[in-house]
Amino acid sequence: GENVEQHPSTLSVQEGDSAVIKCTYSDSASNYFPWYKQELGKRPQLIIDIRSNVGEKKDQRIAVTLNKTAKHFSLHITETQPEDSAVYFCAASMGGGGNKLTFGTGTQLKVEL
Amino acid sequence: GAGVSQTPSNKVTEKGKYVELRCDPISGHTALYWYRQSLGQGPEFLIYFQGTGAADDSGLPNDRFFAVRPEGSVSTLKIQRTERGDSAVYLCASSSTQGATGELFFGEGSRLTVL
C-alpha cells in the first residue's frame, strides 16, 4: 500500500519568515495530495490540495508543489503568522473509488514572535 | 447540522468492554470515512462507506472492529473486547464527491481511553 513520509517533525520559524514542509510518497498511482492543518484538540482542516495534472498551486500565503517523477510534494507558507502555529499533515490518495487518504506523521510548526 | 458531529467526545472504558462511537455526517454527503489517530501520528484509515455499504474496510485492524451505516447517513463504529492499544482519537469524515477525490470534512473526534 501507499506510504507517506513527512519532514521535518518539528519546525520553528520567526514571524514573517517562510516555512517549508516536505513529503514523499511511494505509490506512483497516487494522484491527489491534500494538506491538512490541525490545531491542538481540533479537527483536521483542509488548507490546500493538488492533483497530479499540475505542478504547483497557490492560495494567498500558501503554495504546494508536486514532483511526480521524484514522488515528492511540498507545502510552502510565506510571511508566517502566529496563527499558522499548528500540526500540518500531508496525505496522498489514488482517488477512484472513494478518497482513502494515507497521511504523513505530521509537522509541528511553531511561529515565534 | 453544519458540520460532522461525533459522540461521545470522550469515552473512558475498561479493558474487555464494548464501545460504540457515533458519527453524524454533513447532510447530503454520501461518502463517510472512519480514521484513527494515535498521539503524535497522522490519521490512519479504517473504513469507507458509500451510501449504506462499506466500500473499503481494509483498514480495520481486526474482527473486533465493525462499522455500520444502515440508512446511509449516521454511522456507528463498534469495538468489541476493547484493548489498551485501542486508545486513540477516532475521527469521522464525510465528503460529497462520489468515486473521485474531494475534500474530506472531519469531525472533532471521539477520544477513547481503555484502562
Side-chain angles (χ1 to χ4, degrees), chain B:
Chain B
V4 178
S5 176
Q6 291 188 246
T7 55
S9 55
N10 278 286
K11 176 70 177 179
V12 180
T13 191
E14 293 179 344
K15 181 176 178 295
K17 297 291 187 181
Y18 170 80
V19 167
E20 288 190 353
L21 307 175
R22 175 189 166 105
C23 173
D24 196 345
I26 292 172
S27 178
H29 280 191
T30 57
L32 184 146
Y33 308 79
W34 283 99
Y35 285 79
R36 178 169 69 175
Q37 187 173 25
S38 299
L39 191 64
Q41 299 296 314
E44 175 189 8
F45 172 81
L46 296 177
I47 187 170
Y48 153 63
F49 286 89
Q50 186 60 256
T52 60
D56 185 344
D57 65 357
S58 61
L60 294 178
N62 51 59
D63 61 5
R64 295 187 298 105
F65 288 75
F66 190 71
V68 295
R69 195 186 185 198
E71 298 179 356
S73 179
V74 171
S75 176
T76 304
L77 178 65
K78 307 181 180 190
I79 310 173
Q80 299 178 320
R81 305 183 303 280
T82 52
E83 299 177 356
R84 292 192 180 87
D86 298 336
S87 297
V89 175
Y90 289 81
L91 293 166
C92 177
S94 68
S95 172
S96 64
T97 307
Q98 290 189 37
T101 54
E103 180 177 356
L104 263 61
F105 293 85
F106 282 90
E108 295 280 356
S110 291
R111 180 177 298 277
L112 175 65
T113 303
V114 182
L115 301 177

Side-chain angles (χ1 to χ4, degrees), chain A residues 50-105:
Chain A
I50 191 167
R51 301 179 192 277
S52 60
N53 57 346
V54 298
E56 184 173 357
K57 183 177 178 180
K58 189 174 181 180
D59 182 4
Q60 298 183 343
R61 297 187 297 109
I62 295 173
V64 57
T65 58
L66 170 65
N67 183 327
K68 284 199 68 181
T69 302
K71 289 189 284 188
H72 67 68
F73 56 113
S74 301
L75 177 71
H76 304 253
I77 306 174
T78 59
E79 301 171 31
T80 52
Q81 301 168 4
E83 53 265 38
D84 294 330
S85 296
V87 179
Y88 291 80
F89 292 98
C90 63
S93 167
M94 285 180 274
N99 200 3
K100 177 182 172 182
L101 296 175
T102 300
F103 284 85
T105 51

